[in-house]
Amino acid sequence: MIQLSKIKLAKSIELPVKCNLNVLEAIQKEYGTVAEFEKRIVPFREVTVGEEIKRLPKEPDIGAVTFGLTLMVLEGIEIDREENHTEYTDLSRRQLLNVITRDYRALANDIHEELRRCFEIKK
């Protein structure tokens, strides 16, 4: 059985989310590398304070956030349908993005967390 996480899109809307090789392949095709995608969803800028270099967060690339979110949610829905026979109304990218009421920075963090989970060693 495939483990699925949930992502909260709005106050009462949570959907399954999954980052797997299908998602990574699409990310790599779009951004060249997974690392480049990651830099866009959780970007930092380096600032020198005295002799110390600090990494401060920058605004995420909304295009990268929505690209990753759409891939991961649609993959999660498809797996949930296959594994658990859960019924969902078919969602287009536009419909999915229109239900979101959460801050895009919070969504970027959630997507990054799912991306990180994708690389964990399974026990």
Side-chain angles (χ1 to χ4, degrees):
M1 180 174 228
I2 297 174
Q3 186 76 15
L4 294 174
S5 301
K6 296 275 186 169
I7 190 164
K8 188 172 188 146
L9 301 177
K11 187 175 181 179
S12 62
I13 300 173
E14 281 190 348
L15 290 174
V17 63
K18 184 66 176 176
C19 183
N20 58 18
L21 287 175
N22 294 323
V23 171
L24 293 176
E25 180 181 34
I27 287 171
Q28 189 178 54
K29 193 173 198 175
E30 182 72 18
Y31 292 94
T33 66
V34 174
E36 179 59 31
F37 171 75
E38 185 178 29
K39 284 186 218 173
R40 289 174 182 240
I41 61 171
V42 285
F44 288 92
R45 61 187 168 95
E46 291 185 349
V47 176
T48 305
V49 179
E51 293 184 22
E52 186 180 347
I53 296 175
K54 292 188 176 193
R55 293 181 62 184
L56 301 176
K58 288 179 15 181
E59 183 175 49
D61 177 331
I62 295 173
V65 171
T66 59
F67 183 81
L69 174 71
T70 302
L71 287 173
M72 292 179 193
V73 167
L74 293 178
E75 188 71 12
I77 286 173
E78 189 61 32
I79 291 169
D80 202 18
R81 279 182 175 150
E82 291 171 1
E83 295 271 322
N84 305 314
H85 308 289
T86 306
E87 292 192 27
Y88 292 93
T89 303
D90 286 335
L91 285 174
S92 69
R93 179 179 187 277
R94 182 183 175 105
Q95 289 169 321
L96 174 64
L97 298 179
N98 280 338
V99 301
I100 297 170
T101 59
R102 285 187 65 214
D103 183 86
Y104 67 96
R105 292 167 292 216
L107 289 171
N109 287 334
D110 290 350
I111 293 164
H112 185 245
E113 182 63 24
E114 181 61 22
L115 182 68
R116 189 189 64 70
R117 270 193 294 274
C118 187
F119 292 103
E120 286 180 351
I121 296 173
K122 310 301 186 254
K123 294 181 181 178

